[in-house]
Amino acid sequence: MSIIEKAASRIDHKKEAAAASPVEITSVPVAAPVAHTPIIVAAAAAAAAAAASHAAPEPVVARAMPTAVPAPAVMPVIEPAPAAAPTAAPRKQSTRKVELDLNRMREMGMVTAAGGRTLLVEDFRIIKRPLIKRAFAEHTPGTPPGNLIMITSSLPGEGKTYCAINLAMSIAMELDHTVLLIDADVARPSVLRTLGLPAQRGLMDILLDDKLELADVMLRTNVDTLSILPAGTSTPRATELLASQTMSTFVYEIANRYPDRIVIFDSPPLLLTSEAHVLATHMGQIVLVVESETTTQHAVKESLRQLEGCSNVNLIYNKTREFPGIEETYDYHYG
């Protein structure tokens, strides 16, 4: 074969290879990538879109629900706060009223307005006059008001409660004055018992509970010008309570609230308790009841010694018979 033939043969082979080669190259590398890539991208885009479509609602729902739940609940719904308000509403009670059995009191030998002109009524008219006069006299600043009067005795059984009630009833007969009778014998309260009334809250409860007011425990009576404050709940801290600043504030308030008021304290006996000595420091006047022919001179002197420094100390000589066959009378001395 000549060189020309060989060259021609090679050219023919190249043409055949060139003709076959484009078909195989275009169908494999070009068509495969172009055909598959968009499908994968579209699937990824669809998945992303689907993920986006699922993810978007879930945050919105998941966040919209919590936001929506607290918002309305901003606990205006929990507003039973107003329900607590009614608790504070019944803050103050009105003063209660009790009925004194005036017929029973008269039969017991006590002063009553309807009892007529008896020796007992006349004696207490004499007893009350200097006390009333000093109650509303000018007093030195810093000293207890004269309208605070304590009735006490050296020992039990000398008649101090009896004298305190009679003095209160006698002053209540005055046209220009009102009386508050306080049972301050907190160890052995006897004012309500003597008057036939049941025990109730009173002085000690006011001193123990700062939310309690005088109007909550004071008793009005069917004697319009007479009110009573019971001793109240018994407590072993009575002496400390009577010596407290709360007691000083309370005493000042009741002494000055009404210009026509006289306050009478039925006090414990001086020689048996410490409360009487403490109570005396708040008083403008003190009345010591001495039982005739029973209380010893030593007991009286010791009681007066304990009252040293207290101004206006007076004595009632109780249960004395000036004339045989005549009812018991009461002598009054002061110094």
Side-chain angles (χ1 to χ4, degrees):
M1 186 178 289
S2 65
I3 295 173
I4 295 172
E5 290 175 346
K6 288 180 182 177
S9 173
R10 282 179 190 161
I11 290 169
D12 289 337
H13 281 300
K14 283 182 183 177
K15 283 181 181 178
E16 290 173 4
S21 153
V23 174
E24 292 177 18
I25 290 169
T26 52
S27 66
V28 176
V30 175
V34 172
H36 287 72
T37 306
I39 293 172
I40 294 169
V41 171
S53 71
H54 286 298
E58 285 182 73
V60 173
V61 174
R63 282 185 192 134
M65 298 306 289
T67 332
V69 172
V74 177
M75 306 319 169
V77 182
I78 287 180
E79 275 184 56
T87 311
R91 208 182 71 77
K92 197 170 182 178
Q93 304 174 359
S94 59
T95 306
R96 292 164 294 161
K97 186 169 183 178
V98 294
E99 291 287 323
L100 300 181
D101 189 340
L102 300 178
N103 291 329
R104 174 179 174 273
M105 291 175 65
R106 186 167 60 251
E107 290 169 3
M108 292 172 64
M110 291 187 173
V111 172
T112 60
R117 194 182 182 94
T118 65
L119 286 174
L120 183 67
V121 170
E122 290 304 311
D123 284 340
F124 274 97
R125 280 177 174 156
I126 296 169
I127 289 170
K128 72 179 176 181
R129 196 53 56 201
L131 294 173
I132 293 174
K133 184 179 179 181
R134 282 199 294 267
F136 301 104
E138 292 281 338
H139 72 281
T140 310
T143 61
N147 62 338
L148 300 174
I149 304 173
M150 180 177 104
I151 313 295
T152 188
S153 61
S154 301
L155 299 165
E158 298 189 66
K160 64 176 183 59
T161 299
Y162 183 78
C163 289
I165 295 173
N166 281 328
L167 181 61
M169 290 292 292
S170 183
I171 296 176
M173 292 164 62
E174 295 285 314
L175 301 178
D176 303 319
H177 302 297
T178 60
V179 185
L180 174 61
L181 174 60
I182 298 179
D183 191 347
D185 192 349
V186 293
R188 294 181 60 187
S190 53
V191 169
L192 294 186
R193 187 178 70 247
T194 303
L195 294 173
L197 299 172
Q200 305 193 42
R201 293 187 306 170
L203 176 61
M204 287 295 104
D205 300 280
I206 292 177
L207 299 180
L208 284 167
D209 184 356
D210 57 2
K211 294 189 178 76
L212 209 57
E213 297 182 10
L214 180 61
D216 298 326
V217 293
M218 189 171 72
L219 306 175
R220 289 174 51 237
T221 73
N222 49 325
V223 177
D224 293 339
T225 50
L226 173 67
S227 299
I228 299 172
L229 178 62
T233 306
S234 177
T235 170
R237 297 170 51 215
T239 301
E240 288 75 18
L241 289 170
L242 292 174
S244 67
Q245 183 58 46
T246 305
M247 178 64 177
S248 298
T249 304
F250 170 74
V251 164
Y252 179 83
E253 180 189 349
I254 61 173
N256 294 283
R257 180 177 290 185
Y258 301 107
D260 63 342
R261 173 184 277 174
I262 292 178
V263 187
I264 296 176
F265 290 80
D266 179 25
S267 159
L270 279 163
L271 301 185
L272 291 187
T273 66
S274 54
E275 289 97 331
H277 187 266
V278 170
L279 192 61
T281 62
H282 300 292
M283 298 296 117
Q285 301 187 70
I286 297 172
V287 175
L288 178 65
V289 177
V290 179
E291 185 178 0
S292 169
E293 301 179 7
T294 301
T295 309
T296 65
Q297 194 175 34
H298 171 75
V300 174
K301 285 182 178 180
E302 181 58 26
S303 296
L304 293 174
R305 186 190 66 78
Q306 289 195 20
L307 295 173
E308 283 177 3
C310 300
S311 58
N312 297 323
V313 178
N314 314 277
L315 299 176
I316 290 181
Y317 195 53
N318 191 22
K319 301 183 183 178
T320 179
R321 292 182 182 273
E322 291 185 347
F323 306 102
I326 303 296
E327 63 178 310
E328 291 179 348
T329 58
Y330 300 76
D331 292 329
Y332 178 70
H333 307 279
Y334 60 92

